[in-house]
Amino acid sequence: MRIALYNENPGELKALSGQLDRCAREYLHFAEIVPYARQEDFCGMVRDGPDFDLFVVAQDGTFSLEVVELLREERPKARIFWFSDLDFALRAYRYNADWFGRKPVALPAMQKAFGQLLRRRGQLMTQNTNAL
């Protein structure tokens, strides 16, 4: 699984990378996590970069909203975990984010997000198999 992680705070970025790595090992055994600390770099990748299996946006303020709007516009089928200090739960629902949580991000929240993502993937795989 390839994961793109966006957060402009170096301390939070390191902590989130560790949480993602731990969850990936618990649920998937392996993940490649690509961190982005600048909005310009992340948005450029969203527009013209490689494919990722999951995008994690964990940014304060309305910057996270702008990034998720771009992400949904450019990659309509993207899997998204969105964490913000502001309550964008309704927007997250409208943008079909796989998970929305408030910052600061605690490990149990990240574990719940991964669990939900894998349950959804399992349901989708089962539905596709049943359709055949």
Side-chain angles (χ1 to χ4, degrees):
M1 172 178 252
R2 294 192 74 222
I3 302 171
L5 169 62
Y6 167 61
N7 182 291
E8 292 184 5
N9 179 307
E12 288 181 13
L13 188 63
K14 183 177 180 179
L16 288 165
S17 290
Q19 289 179 355
L20 285 168
D21 182 60
R22 180 173 173 180
C23 290
R25 282 187 277 123
E26 288 175 10
Y27 289 98
L28 304 168
H29 304 296
F30 172 77
E32 176 189 358
I33 301 162
V34 181
Y36 292 87
R38 292 178 5 109
Q39 183 177 7
E40 297 83 7
D41 295 339
F42 186 81
C43 291
M45 176 276 300
V46 167
R47 287 186 185 102
D48 302 318
D51 286 334
F52 285 90
D53 300 300
L54 176 65
F55 295 85
V56 179
V57 175
Q59 186 60 37
D60 291 336
T62 58
F63 291 118
S64 69
L65 175 61
E66 294 169 7
V67 168
V68 171
E69 285 176 344
L70 174 70
L71 185 53
R72 187 49 71 210
E73 181 181 307
E74 294 290 326
R75 299 187 185 216
K77 295 183 182 197
R79 298 282 189 196
I80 302 170
F81 290 175
W82 181 7
F83 298 95
S84 177
D85 63 328
L86 301 176
D87 188 356
F88 290 122
L90 184 57
R91 291 280 183 124
Y93 178 77
R94 285 183 55 211
Y95 293 136
N96 197 29
D98 291 276
W99 184 265
F100 177 80
R102 297 290 297 269
K103 287 181 67 189
V105 181
L107 180 60
M110 189 67 77
Q111 289 168 321
K112 286 181 184 179
F114 261 88
Q116 180 171 313
L117 176 67
L118 294 177
R119 281 190 298 280
R120 286 178 119 187
R121 284 178 68 185
Q123 289 171 349
L124 291 173
M125 291 172 62
T126 301
Q127 288 172 355
N128 291 338
T129 302
N130 291 339
L132 299 175

